CSV table of all heavy atoms in Angstrom, one decimal:
chain,number,residue,atom,x,y,z
A,304,LEU,N,-20.3,-37.5,79.8
A,304,LEU,CA,-20.9,-38.7,80.2
A,304,LEU,C,-20.2,-39.9,79.7
A,304,LEU,O,-20.1,-40.9,80.5
A,304,LEU,CB,-22.3,-38.7,79.5
A,304,LEU,CG,-23.2,-39.8,79.8
A,304,LEU,CD1,-23.6,-40.1,81.4
A,304,LEU,CD2,-24.5,-39.7,79.1
A,305,GLU,N,-19.6,-39.9,78.5
A,305,GLU,CA,-19.0,-41.0,77.9
A,305,GLU,C,-17.6,-41.3,78.8
A,305,GLU,O,-17.3,-42.4,79.2
A,305,GLU,CB,-18.4,-40.8,76.5
A,305,GLU,CG,-17.8,-41.9,75.9
A,305,GLU,CD,-17.5,-41.7,74.4
A,305,GLU,OE1,-17.7,-40.6,73.9
A,305,GLU,OE2,-16.7,-42.5,73.9
A,306,THR,N,-16.9,-40.1,79.2
A,306,THR,CA,-15.8,-40.4,80.1
A,306,THR,C,-16.1,-40.9,81.5
A,306,THR,O,-15.4,-41.8,82.1
A,306,THR,CB,-15.1,-39.0,80.4
A,306,THR,OG1,-14.7,-38.5,79.1
A,306,THR,CG2,-13.8,-39.0,81.2
A,307,THR,N,-17.2,-40.4,82.1
A,307,THR,CA,-17.7,-40.9,83.3
A,307,THR,C,-18.1,-42.4,83.3
A,307,THR,O,-17.7,-43.2,84.1
A,307,THR,CB,-19.0,-40.1,83.9
A,307,THR,OG1,-18.7,-38.8,84.0
A,307,THR,CG2,-19.4,-40.6,85.2
A,308,GLN,N,-18.8,-42.8,82.2
A,308,GLN,CA,-19.1,-44.2,81.9
A,308,GLN,C,-17.9,-45.1,81.8
A,308,GLN,O,-17.8,-46.2,82.3
A,308,GLN,CB,-19.9,-44.3,80.8
A,308,GLN,CG,-21.4,-43.7,81.0
A,308,GLN,CD,-22.3,-43.8,79.8
A,308,GLN,OE1,-21.8,-44.1,78.6
A,308,GLN,NE2,-23.6,-43.7,79.9
A,309,GLN,N,-16.9,-44.5,81.0
A,309,GLN,CA,-15.6,-45.3,80.9
A,309,GLN,C,-14.9,-45.4,82.2
A,309,GLN,O,-14.4,-46.6,82.5
A,309,GLN,CB,-14.7,-44.6,79.9
A,309,GLN,CG,-13.5,-45.4,79.5
A,309,GLN,CD,-13.7,-46.8,78.9
A,309,GLN,OE1,-14.6,-46.8,78.2
A,309,GLN,NE2,-12.9,-47.7,79.2
A,310,GLN,N,-14.8,-44.5,83.0
A,310,GLN,CA,-14.2,-44.5,84.3
A,310,GLN,C,-14.9,-45.5,85.3
A,310,GLN,O,-14.2,-46.4,86.0
A,310,GLN,CB,-14.1,-43.1,85.0
A,310,GLN,CG,-13.2,-42.1,84.2
A,310,GLN,CD,-13.3,-40.7,84.9
A,310,GLN,OE1,-14.1,-40.4,85.6
A,310,GLN,NE2,-12.3,-39.9,84.5
A,311,GLN,N,-16.3,-45.5,85.2
A,311,GLN,CA,-17.0,-46.4,86.0
A,311,GLN,C,-16.7,-47.9,85.6
A,311,GLN,O,-16.6,-48.7,86.5
A,311,GLN,CB,-18.5,-46.2,86.0
A,311,GLN,CG,-19.4,-46.9,86.8
A,311,GLN,CD,-19.1,-46.8,88.2
A,311,GLN,OE1,-18.9,-45.6,88.6
A,311,GLN,NE2,-19.2,-47.8,89.1
A,312,HIS,N,-16.7,-48.0,84.4
A,312,HIS,CA,-16.3,-49.5,83.7
A,312,HIS,C,-14.9,-49.8,84.2
A,312,HIS,O,-14.8,-51.1,84.8
A,312,HIS,CB,-16.5,-49.4,82.3
A,312,HIS,CG,-15.9,-50.8,81.7
A,312,HIS,ND1,-16.8,-51.8,81.7
A,312,HIS,CD2,-14.9,-51.1,80.9
A,312,HIS,CE1,-16.2,-52.8,81.1
A,312,HIS,NE2,-15.0,-52.4,80.7
A,313,ASN,N,-14.0,-48.9,84.2
A,313,ASN,CA,-12.6,-49.4,84.6
A,313,ASN,C,-12.6,-49.8,86.1
A,313,ASN,O,-11.9,-50.7,86.6
A,313,ASN,CB,-11.6,-48.2,84.3
A,313,ASN,CG,-11.5,-48.1,82.8
A,313,ASN,OD1,-11.8,-48.9,82.1
A,313,ASN,ND2,-11.0,-46.8,82.4
A,314,SER,N,-13.3,-48.9,86.9
A,314,SER,CA,-13.5,-49.2,88.4
A,314,SER,C,-14.1,-50.5,88.6
A,314,SER,O,-13.6,-51.2,89.6
A,314,SER,CB,-14.2,-48.1,89.0
A,314,SER,OG,-14.4,-48.3,90.4
A,315,ASP,N,-15.2,-50.9,87.9
A,315,ASP,CA,-15.8,-52.1,88.1
A,315,ASP,C,-14.9,-53.2,87.8
A,315,ASP,O,-14.9,-54.3,88.5
A,315,ASP,CB,-17.1,-52.2,87.2
A,315,ASP,CG,-18.2,-51.1,87.7
A,315,ASP,OD1,-18.0,-50.7,88.9
A,315,ASP,OD2,-19.1,-50.8,86.9
A,316,VAL,N,-14.1,-53.1,86.7
A,316,VAL,CA,-13.1,-54.2,86.3
A,316,VAL,C,-12.1,-54.4,87.4
A,316,VAL,O,-11.8,-55.5,87.8
A,316,VAL,CB,-12.5,-53.8,85.0
A,316,VAL,CG1,-11.4,-54.8,84.7
A,316,VAL,CG2,-13.5,-53.9,83.8
A,317,ALA,N,-11.6,-53.2,87.9
A,317,ALA,CA,-10.6,-53.3,89.1
A,317,ALA,C,-11.2,-54.1,90.2
A,317,ALA,O,-10.5,-54.9,90.8
A,317,ALA,CB,-10.0,-51.9,89.3
A,318,MET,N,-12.4,-53.7,90.6
A,318,MET,CA,-13.0,-54.3,91.8
A,318,MET,C,-13.2,-55.7,91.7
A,318,MET,O,-12.9,-56.6,92.6
A,318,MET,CB,-14.4,-53.6,92.1
A,318,MET,CG,-14.1,-52.2,92.6
A,318,MET,SD,-13.3,-52.1,94.1
A,318,MET,CE,-14.4,-52.8,95.2
A,319,ALA,N,-13.7,-56.2,90.5
A,319,ALA,CA,-13.8,-57.7,90.0
A,319,ALA,C,-12.4,-58.4,90.2
A,319,ALA,O,-12.5,-59.5,90.7
A,319,ALA,CB,-14.5,-57.9,88.8
A,320,VAL,N,-11.5,-57.8,89.7
A,320,VAL,CA,-10.2,-58.5,89.9
A,320,VAL,C,-9.7,-58.6,91.3
A,320,VAL,O,-9.3,-59.7,91.6
A,320,VAL,CB,-9.1,-57.7,88.9
A,320,VAL,CG1,-7.7,-58.3,89.2
A,320,VAL,CG2,-9.4,-57.7,87.5
A,321,LEU,N,-9.8,-57.6,92.1
A,321,LEU,CA,-9.5,-57.7,93.5
A,321,LEU,C,-10.3,-58.8,94.2
A,321,LEU,O,-9.7,-59.5,94.9
A,321,LEU,CB,-9.6,-56.3,94.1
A,321,LEU,CG,-8.6,-55.2,93.7
A,321,LEU,CD1,-9.0,-54.0,94.3
A,321,LEU,CD2,-7.2,-55.8,94.0
A,322,ALA,N,-11.7,-58.9,93.9
A,322,ALA,CA,-12.5,-59.8,94.5
A,322,ALA,C,-12.1,-61.1,94.2
A,322,ALA,O,-12.1,-62.0,95.1
A,322,ALA,CB,-14.0,-59.4,94.2
A,323,SER,N,-11.7,-61.4,93.1
A,323,SER,CA,-11.3,-62.8,92.6
A,323,SER,C,-10.1,-63.1,93.2
A,323,SER,O,-9.8,-64.3,93.5
A,323,SER,CB,-11.2,-62.8,91.0
A,323,SER,OG,-10.1,-62.0,90.6
A,324,GLN,N,-9.1,-62.3,93.3
A,324,GLN,CA,-7.9,-62.6,94.0
A,324,GLN,C,-8.0,-62.9,95.4
A,324,GLN,O,-7.5,-63.7,96.1
A,324,GLN,CB,-6.8,-61.5,93.8
A,324,GLN,CG,-6.4,-61.2,92.4
A,324,GLN,CD,-5.5,-60.1,92.2
A,324,GLN,OE1,-5.3,-59.3,93.2
A,324,GLN,NE2,-4.9,-60.0,91.0
A,325,ALA,N,-9.1,-62.2,96.1
A,325,ALA,CA,-9.3,-62.4,97.6
A,325,ALA,C,-9.9,-63.8,97.9
A,325,ALA,O,-9.7,-64.4,99.0
A,325,ALA,CB,-10.2,-61.2,98.0
A,326,ASN,N,-10.7,-64.2,96.8
A,326,ASN,CA,-11.3,-65.4,97.1
A,326,ASN,C,-10.6,-66.7,96.7
A,326,ASN,O,-11.0,-67.8,96.9
A,326,ASN,CB,-12.6,-65.5,96.2
A,326,ASN,CG,-13.7,-64.5,96.7
A,326,ASN,OD1,-13.7,-64.3,97.8
A,326,ASN,ND2,-14.5,-64.1,95.9
A,327,VAL,N,-9.3,-66.6,96.2
A,327,VAL,CA,-8.5,-67.7,95.9
A,327,VAL,C,-7.8,-68.3,97.1
A,327,VAL,O,-7.3,-67.5,97.9
A,327,VAL,CB,-7.3,-67.3,95.0
A,327,VAL,CG1,-6.4,-68.5,94.6
A,327,VAL,CG2,-7.9,-66.8,93.6
A,328,SER,N,-8.0,-69.6,97.4
A,328,SER,CA,-7.6,-70.3,98.6
A,328,SER,C,-6.1,-70.4,98.5
A,328,SER,O,-5.4,-70.8,97.5
A,328,SER,CB,-8.1,-71.6,98.8
A,328,SER,OG,-7.9,-72.4,97.6
Side-chain angles (χ1 to χ4, degrees):
L304 178 60
E305 182 179 357
T306 301
T307 302
Q308 291 175 344
Q309 184 64 35
Q310 291 175 347
Q311 183 65 36
H312 174 70
N313 294 340
S314 177
D315 292 341
V316 170
M318 291 297 295
V320 170
L321 291 175
S323 62
Q324 291 177 351
N326 292 331
V327 173
S328 57

